[in-house]
Amino acid sequence: MIAGGGQAGFQTAASLRQGGFAGRVVLVGDEPVLPYQRPPLSKVYLSRPGTDGIRLRGAEFFEESEIELLRGECVAGIDRADRSVTTESGTTVGYDHLVLALGSRNRALPVPGADLDGVAGLRTVADADALRAALPSARDVVVIGGGFIGLEFAVAAVDAGAKVTVVEALPRLMSRVVSEPTSEFFAGFHRARGVDLLFGTSVSRIVGEGGAATGVELADGTRIDADLVVAGIGVRPNTELAERAGLSVDDGIVVDETLRTSDPAISAVGDCARFPSPHAGCPVRLESVQNAVDQARHVASRLLTGEDVPYEAVPWFWTDQGAAKLQIAGLVGGHDRRVVRGDRDEGRFTIFCYRGDRLLGAESVGRAVDHMAVRRILTAGAALTPEQASDVDFDLKAYSKSLTSRPR
């Protein structure tokens, strides 16, 4: 039984079948559409709509794989003693093992006027459809939040001909996930495309007329015209179901190194799971396709083989912001040393991030080869010294390909 029809839930079901599991597989998803990819929603989907290109699989896959897909349905409760779940419609489904792939939801914009027409978030295909319909007539767009989603949407809004302002409460773009030089590059990139960037300030209210947004007011009283306001201020993990069931929760559903919850008959994967990461050195919750897919495969493998292997996959992330593609390997938070390869002025560079002499990860813009090399190095648990990283004659690709993965 799998609760959650997003990337993690779908991959769990698919991996079980691909691995030869012959028992019953039930996948419950709260959206009425077939499981789909979320990353394109803030990118190409805004200009090229249609769910065919983003669906993870067609309806025939679920039929042929004998995966019972319950669409537009939520799990309302878990009876751990009886090992069963009850959906909102009243259906009861038993389980030998339950996988919680509950995902996350957008943080609500906590200001007056957030309920006006023209104020939106971007999380689901329905959100993307509404924004795509609004973009052609939008003249002034304000994006609240300078993270991946907000900046990807800013690109789409500029391409649609709108004047775009990004309001970021912190001092720089994407500050929670990238280093200062990478933030500075993307700030320059967006400014060159006509985007106004406001840092160190916040929105105090959305102003409107006739029930529709007409602008935003900042904390210092400044007013910015806006007929479309998009909030990208982060997400919250969906943990309420786990809390009601008495499972351990702490900014996510707490799991051990094998992704089991405090109930060994229940696992959690994806955005909703907080797990001990050897790459972070502490429990973390990661919001990425890679993490969702790899954790789903890991749990499926454990259920198929019965082997308790720690989850140690190297985290990686990406964002496409127009012509600028950023790829991140590893977790670079807390680094105290940086080495740069390439040319930031040309938009082709990699920033290697170290704590002391230990490579934590790398941020690559326009250098996919470097990104793949760093992923292989981190997966192998191998060393890459700052001196090697800074030496343009050191063949990073060849070195990474010579490595083998570290023993599990």
PDB file of all heavy atoms in Angstrom, residues 5-27:
ATOM      1  N   GLY A   5       0.562   9.865  -4.701  1.00  0.00           N
ATOM      2  CA  GLY A   5       0.696   9.521  -6.113  1.00  0.00           C
ATOM      3  C   GLY A   5       1.668  10.393  -6.874  1.00  0.00           C
ATOM      4  O   GLY A   5       1.560  10.508  -8.097  1.00  0.00           O
ATOM      5  N   GLY A   6       2.629  11.018  -6.185  1.00  0.00           N
ATOM      6  CA  GLY A   6       3.644  11.813  -6.863  1.00  0.00           C
ATOM      7  C   GLY A   6       4.798  10.955  -7.338  1.00  0.00           C
ATOM      8  O   GLY A   6       4.688   9.734  -7.486  1.00  0.00           O
ATOM      9  N   GLN A   7       5.961  11.608  -7.573  1.00  0.00           N
ATOM     10  CA  GLN A   7       7.119  10.903  -8.115  1.00  0.00           C
ATOM     11  C   GLN A   7       7.563   9.754  -7.202  1.00  0.00           C
ATOM     12  O   GLN A   7       7.841   8.648  -7.670  1.00  0.00           O
ATOM     13  CB  GLN A   7       8.269  11.883  -8.285  1.00  0.00           C
ATOM     14  CG  GLN A   7       9.476  11.315  -9.006  1.00  0.00           C
ATOM     15  CD  GLN A   7       9.458  11.558 -10.491  1.00  0.00           C
ATOM     16  OE1 GLN A   7       9.224  12.656 -10.939  1.00  0.00           O
ATOM     17  NE2 GLN A   7       9.729  10.520 -11.270  1.00  0.00           N
ATOM     18  N   ALA A   8       7.607   9.992  -5.891  1.00  0.00           N
ATOM     19  CA  ALA A   8       8.081   8.962  -4.970  1.00  0.00           C
ATOM     20  C   ALA A   8       7.109   7.791  -4.890  1.00  0.00           C
ATOM     21  O   ALA A   8       7.518   6.625  -4.886  1.00  0.00           O
ATOM     22  CB  ALA A   8       8.306   9.557  -3.575  1.00  0.00           C
ATOM     23  N   GLY A   9       5.816   8.093  -4.808  1.00  0.00           N
ATOM     24  CA  GLY A   9       4.833   7.023  -4.736  1.00  0.00           C
ATOM     25  C   GLY A   9       4.800   6.194  -5.998  1.00  0.00           C
ATOM     26  O   GLY A   9       4.790   4.954  -5.959  1.00  0.00           O
ATOM     27  N   PHE A  10       4.780   6.880  -7.150  1.00  0.00           N
ATOM     28  CA  PHE A  10       4.796   6.161  -8.424  1.00  0.00           C
ATOM     29  C   PHE A  10       6.022   5.274  -8.535  1.00  0.00           C
ATOM     30  O   PHE A  10       5.922   4.100  -8.919  1.00  0.00           O
ATOM     31  CB  PHE A  10       4.769   7.145  -9.599  1.00  0.00           C
ATOM     32  CG  PHE A  10       5.168   6.497 -10.893  1.00  0.00           C
ATOM     33  CD1 PHE A  10       4.257   5.728 -11.601  1.00  0.00           C
ATOM     34  CD2 PHE A  10       6.469   6.600 -11.375  1.00  0.00           C
ATOM     35  CE1 PHE A  10       4.639   5.091 -12.781  1.00  0.00           C
ATOM     36  CE2 PHE A  10       6.850   5.975 -12.538  1.00  0.00           C
ATOM     37  CZ  PHE A  10       5.932   5.212 -13.251  1.00  0.00           C
ATOM     38  N   GLN A  11       7.207   5.817  -8.204  1.00  0.00           N
ATOM     39  CA  GLN A  11       8.433   5.038  -8.368  1.00  0.00           C
ATOM     40  C   GLN A  11       8.454   3.828  -7.443  1.00  0.00           C
ATOM     41  O   GLN A  11       8.977   2.766  -7.826  1.00  0.00           O
ATOM     42  CB  GLN A  11       9.653   5.916  -8.102  1.00  0.00           C
ATOM     43  CG  GLN A  11      10.974   5.248  -8.443  1.00  0.00           C
ATOM     44  CD  GLN A  11      11.074   4.925  -9.923  1.00  0.00           C
ATOM     45  OE1 GLN A  11      10.966   5.806 -10.759  1.00  0.00           O
ATOM     46  NE2 GLN A  11      11.282   3.650 -10.250  1.00  0.00           N
ATOM     47  N   THR A  12       7.906   3.956  -6.254  1.00  0.00           N
ATOM     48  CA  THR A  12       7.836   2.803  -5.354  1.00  0.00           C
ATOM     49  C   THR A  12       7.026   1.685  -5.984  1.00  0.00           C
ATOM     50  O   THR A  12       7.455   0.513  -6.012  1.00  0.00           O
ATOM     51  CB  THR A  12       7.208   3.203  -4.005  1.00  0.00           C
ATOM     52  OG1 THR A  12       7.941   4.276  -3.427  1.00  0.00           O
ATOM     53  CG2 THR A  12       7.222   2.024  -3.041  1.00  0.00           C
ATOM     54  N   ALA A  13       5.861   2.033  -6.507  1.00  0.00           N
ATOM     55  CA  ALA A  13       4.997   1.023  -7.134  1.00  0.00           C
ATOM     56  C   ALA A  13       5.670   0.407  -8.353  1.00  0.00           C
ATOM     57  O   ALA A  13       5.684  -0.823  -8.518  1.00  0.00           O
ATOM     58  CB  ALA A  13       3.669   1.655  -7.530  1.00  0.00           C
ATOM     59  N   ALA A  14       6.249   1.257  -9.208  1.00  0.00           N
ATOM     60  CA  ALA A  14       6.888   0.762 -10.427  1.00  0.00           C
ATOM     61  C   ALA A  14       8.073  -0.136 -10.108  1.00  0.00           C
ATOM     62  O   ALA A  14       8.259  -1.197 -10.731  1.00  0.00           O
ATOM     63  CB  ALA A  14       7.324   1.940 -11.292  1.00  0.00           C
ATOM     64  N   SER A  15       8.881   0.260  -9.118  1.00  0.00           N
ATOM     65  CA  SER A  15      10.062  -0.535  -8.773  1.00  0.00           C
ATOM     66  C   SER A  15       9.686  -1.886  -8.172  1.00  0.00           C
ATOM     67  O   SER A  15      10.369  -2.892  -8.396  1.00  0.00           O
ATOM     68  CB  SER A  15      10.957   0.246  -7.802  1.00  0.00           C
ATOM     69  OG  SER A  15      11.507   1.375  -8.428  1.00  0.00           O
ATOM     70  N   LEU A  16       8.606  -1.917  -7.403  1.00  0.00           N
ATOM     71  CA  LEU A  16       8.148  -3.195  -6.862  1.00  0.00           C
ATOM     72  C   LEU A  16       7.781  -4.153  -7.983  1.00  0.00           C
ATOM     73  O   LEU A  16       8.181  -5.326  -7.982  1.00  0.00           O
ATOM     74  CB  LEU A  16       6.947  -2.976  -5.940  1.00  0.00           C
ATOM     75  CG  LEU A  16       7.255  -2.414  -4.552  1.00  0.00           C
ATOM     76  CD1 LEU A  16       5.980  -1.999  -3.847  1.00  0.00           C
ATOM     77  CD2 LEU A  16       8.026  -3.438  -3.712  1.00  0.00           C
ATOM     78  N   ARG A  17       7.031  -3.664  -8.945  1.00  0.00           N
ATOM     79  CA  ARG A  17       6.645  -4.526 -10.064  1.00  0.00           C
ATOM     80  C   ARG A  17       7.849  -4.906 -10.923  1.00  0.00           C
ATOM     81  O   ARG A  17       8.003  -6.064 -11.328  1.00  0.00           O
ATOM     82  CB  ARG A  17       5.580  -3.834 -10.917  1.00  0.00           C
ATOM     83  CG  ARG A  17       4.201  -3.827 -10.294  1.00  0.00           C
ATOM     84  CD  ARG A  17       3.669  -5.251 -10.126  1.00  0.00           C
ATOM     85  NE  ARG A  17       2.281  -5.270  -9.696  1.00  0.00           N
ATOM     86  CZ  ARG A  17       1.832  -5.928  -8.656  1.00  0.00           C
ATOM     87  NH1 ARG A  17       2.674  -6.627  -7.898  1.00  0.00           N
ATOM     88  NH2 ARG A  17       0.547  -5.921  -8.351  1.00  0.00           N
ATOM     89  N   GLN A  18       8.715  -3.946 -11.200  1.00  0.00           N
ATOM     90  CA  GLN A  18       9.899  -4.238 -12.009  1.00  0.00           C
ATOM     91  C   GLN A  18      10.822  -5.221 -11.316  1.00  0.00           C
ATOM     92  O   GLN A  18      11.541  -5.979 -11.967  1.00  0.00           O
ATOM     93  CB  GLN A  18      10.639  -2.937 -12.323  1.00  0.00           C
ATOM     94  CG  GLN A  18       9.883  -2.029 -13.291  1.00  0.00           C
ATOM     95  CD  GLN A  18      10.363  -0.593 -13.260  1.00  0.00           C
ATOM     96  OE1 GLN A  18      11.302  -0.244 -12.531  1.00  0.00           O
ATOM     97  NE2 GLN A  18       9.728   0.263 -14.052  1.00  0.00           N
ATOM     98  N   GLY A  19      10.774  -5.241  -9.980  1.00  0.00           N
ATOM     99  CA  GLY A  19      11.606  -6.167  -9.225  1.00  0.00           C
ATOM    100  C   GLY A  19      10.989  -7.533  -9.029  1.00  0.00           C
ATOM    101  O   GLY A  19      11.587  -8.409  -8.392  1.00  0.00           O
ATOM    102  N   GLY A  20       9.776  -7.722  -9.557  1.00  0.00           N
ATOM    103  CA  GLY A  20       9.153  -9.033  -9.514  1.00  0.00           C
ATOM    104  C   GLY A  20       8.163  -9.252  -8.393  1.00  0.00           C
ATOM    105  O   GLY A  20       7.722 -10.383  -8.158  1.00  0.00           O
ATOM    106  N   PHE A  21       7.768  -8.207  -7.678  1.00  0.00           N
ATOM    107  CA  PHE A  21       6.787  -8.359  -6.607  1.00  0.00           C
ATOM    108  C   PHE A  21       5.449  -8.791  -7.197  1.00  0.00           C
ATOM    109  O   PHE A  21       4.927  -8.170  -8.125  1.00  0.00           O
ATOM    110  CB  PHE A  21       6.634  -7.037  -5.851  1.00  0.00           C
ATOM    111  CG  PHE A  21       5.644  -7.110  -4.716  1.00  0.00           C
ATOM    112  CD1 PHE A  21       5.938  -7.852  -3.577  1.00  0.00           C
ATOM    113  CD2 PHE A  21       4.428  -6.447  -4.785  1.00  0.00           C
ATOM    114  CE1 PHE A  21       5.042  -7.917  -2.525  1.00  0.00           C
ATOM    115  CE2 PHE A  21       3.522  -6.509  -3.746  1.00  0.00           C
ATOM    116  CZ  PHE A  21       3.826  -7.245  -2.605  1.00  0.00           C
ATOM    117  N   ALA A  22       4.882  -9.856  -6.664  1.00  0.00           N
ATOM    118  CA  ALA A  22       3.667 -10.427  -7.235  1.00  0.00           C
ATOM    119  C   ALA A  22       2.419 -10.129  -6.422  1.00  0.00           C
ATOM    120  O   ALA A  22       1.305 -10.477  -6.837  1.00  0.00           O
ATOM    121  CB  ALA A  22       3.830 -11.946  -7.382  1.00  0.00           C
ATOM    122  N   GLY A  23       2.587  -9.483  -5.257  1.00  0.00           N
ATOM    123  CA  GLY A  23       1.431  -9.196  -4.413  1.00  0.00           C
ATOM    124  C   GLY A  23       0.638  -7.992  -4.878  1.00  0.00           C
ATOM    125  O   GLY A  23       0.907  -7.390  -5.928  1.00  0.00           O
ATOM    126  N   ARG A  24      -0.343  -7.631  -4.095  1.00  0.00           N
ATOM    127  CA  ARG A  24      -1.201  -6.498  -4.422  1.00  0.00           C
ATOM    128  C   ARG A  24      -0.451  -5.178  -4.208  1.00  0.00           C
ATOM    129  O   ARG A  24       0.232  -5.013  -3.195  1.00  0.00           O
ATOM    130  CB  ARG A  24      -2.453  -6.530  -3.548  1.00  0.00           C
ATOM    131  CG  ARG A  24      -3.510  -5.505  -3.916  1.00  0.00           C
ATOM    132  CD  ARG A  24      -4.675  -5.552  -2.943  1.00  0.00           C
ATOM    133  NE  ARG A  24      -5.732  -4.618  -3.333  1.00  0.00           N
ATOM    134  CZ  ARG A  24      -6.757  -4.254  -2.550  1.00  0.00           C
ATOM    135  NH1 ARG A  24      -6.843  -4.762  -1.316  1.00  0.00           N
ATOM    136  NH2 ARG A  24      -7.659  -3.400  -2.992  1.00  0.00           N
ATOM    137  N   VAL A  25      -0.570  -4.254  -5.149  1.00  0.00           N
ATOM    138  CA  VAL A  25       0.021  -2.922  -5.030  1.00  0.00           C
ATOM    139  C   VAL A  25      -1.090  -1.904  -5.241  1.00  0.00           C
ATOM    140  O   VAL A  25      -1.710  -1.855  -6.310  1.00  0.00           O
ATOM    141  CB  VAL A  25       1.147  -2.689  -6.061  1.00  0.00           C
ATOM    142  CG1 VAL A  25       1.658  -1.240  -5.964  1.00  0.00           C
ATOM    143  CG2 VAL A  25       2.295  -3.664  -5.845  1.00  0.00           C
ATOM    144  N   VAL A  26      -1.336  -1.093  -4.224  1.00  0.00           N
ATOM    145  CA  VAL A  26      -2.353  -0.043  -4.302  1.00  0.00           C
ATOM    146  C   VAL A  26      -1.656   1.301  -4.158  1.00  0.00           C
ATOM    147  O   VAL A  26      -0.883   1.515  -3.220  1.00  0.00           O
ATOM    148  CB  VAL A  26      -3.425  -0.207  -3.203  1.00  0.00           C
ATOM    149  CG1 VAL A  26      -4.480   0.890  -3.322  1.00  0.00           C
ATOM    150  CG2 VAL A  26      -4.069  -1.586  -3.289  1.00  0.00           C
ATOM    151  N   LEU A  27      -1.930   2.212  -5.094  1.00  0.00           N
ATOM    152  CA  LEU A  27      -1.327   3.542  -5.095  1.00  0.00           C
ATOM    153  C   LEU A  27      -2.441   4.578  -5.011  1.00  0.00           C
ATOM    154  O   LEU A  27      -3.301   4.654  -5.892  1.00  0.00           O
ATOM    155  CB  LEU A  27      -0.512   3.739  -6.377  1.00  0.00           C
ATOM    156  CG  LEU A  27       0.153   5.099  -6.613  1.00  0.00           C
ATOM    157  CD1 LEU A  27       1.155   5.405  -5.508  1.00  0.00           C
ATOM    158  CD2 LEU A  27       0.846   5.119  -7.975  1.00  0.00           C
TER     159      LEU A  27
END
